[in-house]
Amino acid sequence: MELVEATADDLDALVSRWYSLAKSVEAYDEVNELAGPSVDDVAEDGFRSHLDDETVTDYLVVHEGETIGFVTLREGHHPSRKHSHYLRIVNLAIDDGHRNRGHGTDVVERVRELARDRDCDHLTVSCEWDNEDARRFYRDTDFRPKQVEYVQPL
């Protein structure tokens, strides 16, 4: 498994995979509802802006020459904290036909390596509270709960 940095040529692959991930998250809370009914309603601008943002990188997850998912990473700093330099997993999705085969765990391990190479001192990630599969996955890959995020629709 390898992570291949995405380029402008990969926008369609990123958007379609993100849309699938976003659709699956809709069930967990009303604030997750997508604005449009199909992948065609998703603007590429979000991923296109990542190409120019030094703190955000999208990677395709490639296994045996086939793209099987993607991960979006954001690097950041909390200058007032001892553990100040972090790498955040913003999105992580493995295509349906490739799940439960260890690919997600491999991605997390590769992200750890990237974080160490960037001199980060910790990783962060969040998932929907009611998404037991995601919570179990992150616990199984050595993440621990740190804080709870609340939402209030207006």
Side-chain angles (χ1 to χ4, degrees):
M1 188 285 308
E2 62 181 320
L3 298 182
V4 177
E5 189 169 340
T7 67
D9 293 336
D10 300 313
L11 291 177
D12 287 342
L14 290 169
V15 167
S16 66
R17 285 179 169 87
W18 177 86
Y19 184 79
S20 178
L21 175 64
K23 285 300 287 179
S24 71
V25 173
E26 276 187 316
Y28 294 107
D29 195 282
E30 67 186 56
V31 299
N32 295 336
E33 184 178 354
L34 294 172
S38 78
V39 68
D40 297 328
D41 298 314
V42 177
E44 293 179 353
D45 295 344
F47 284 103
R48 189 176 307 283
S49 70
H50 293 176
L51 298 173
D52 297 324
D53 187 335
E54 292 180 7
T55 66
V56 178
T57 310
D58 293 297
Y59 293 92
L60 300 175
V61 178
V62 178
H63 176 69
E64 297 179 351
E66 178 184 359
T67 299
I68 62 165
F70 83 104
V71 61
T72 303
L73 304 176
R74 175 175 284 123
E75 191 170 346
H77 293 85
H78 294 298
S80 62
R81 293 189 179 152
K82 181 177 179 180
H83 299 280
S84 62
H85 189 187
Y86 65 90
L87 191 60
R88 178 173 187 73
I89 299 172
V90 177
N91 297 306
L92 171 55
I94 301 297
D95 297 347
D96 285 339
H98 296 275
R99 291 187 184 156
N100 299 311
R101 296 181 185 177
H103 299 301
T105 301
D106 290 345
V107 169
V108 170
E109 183 52 41
R110 182 67 184 108
V111 168
R112 279 189 194 110
E113 292 170 11
L114 289 170
R116 288 182 186 114
D117 290 347
R118 296 177 187 189
D119 292 324
C120 294
D121 50 37
H122 65 288
L123 295 175
T124 67
V125 68
S126 64
C127 64
E128 294 295 320
W129 183 258
D130 289 333
N131 187 340
E132 283 296 327
D133 290 337
R135 291 174 60 197
R136 182 176 26 262
F137 170 76
Y138 289 118
R139 280 192 309 268
D140 289 348
T141 54
D142 298 325
F143 285 87
R144 61 179 168 85
K146 181 186 165 287
Q147 70 186 59
V148 176
E149 180 175 312
Y150 290 88
V151 66
Q152 183 180 75
L154 302 175

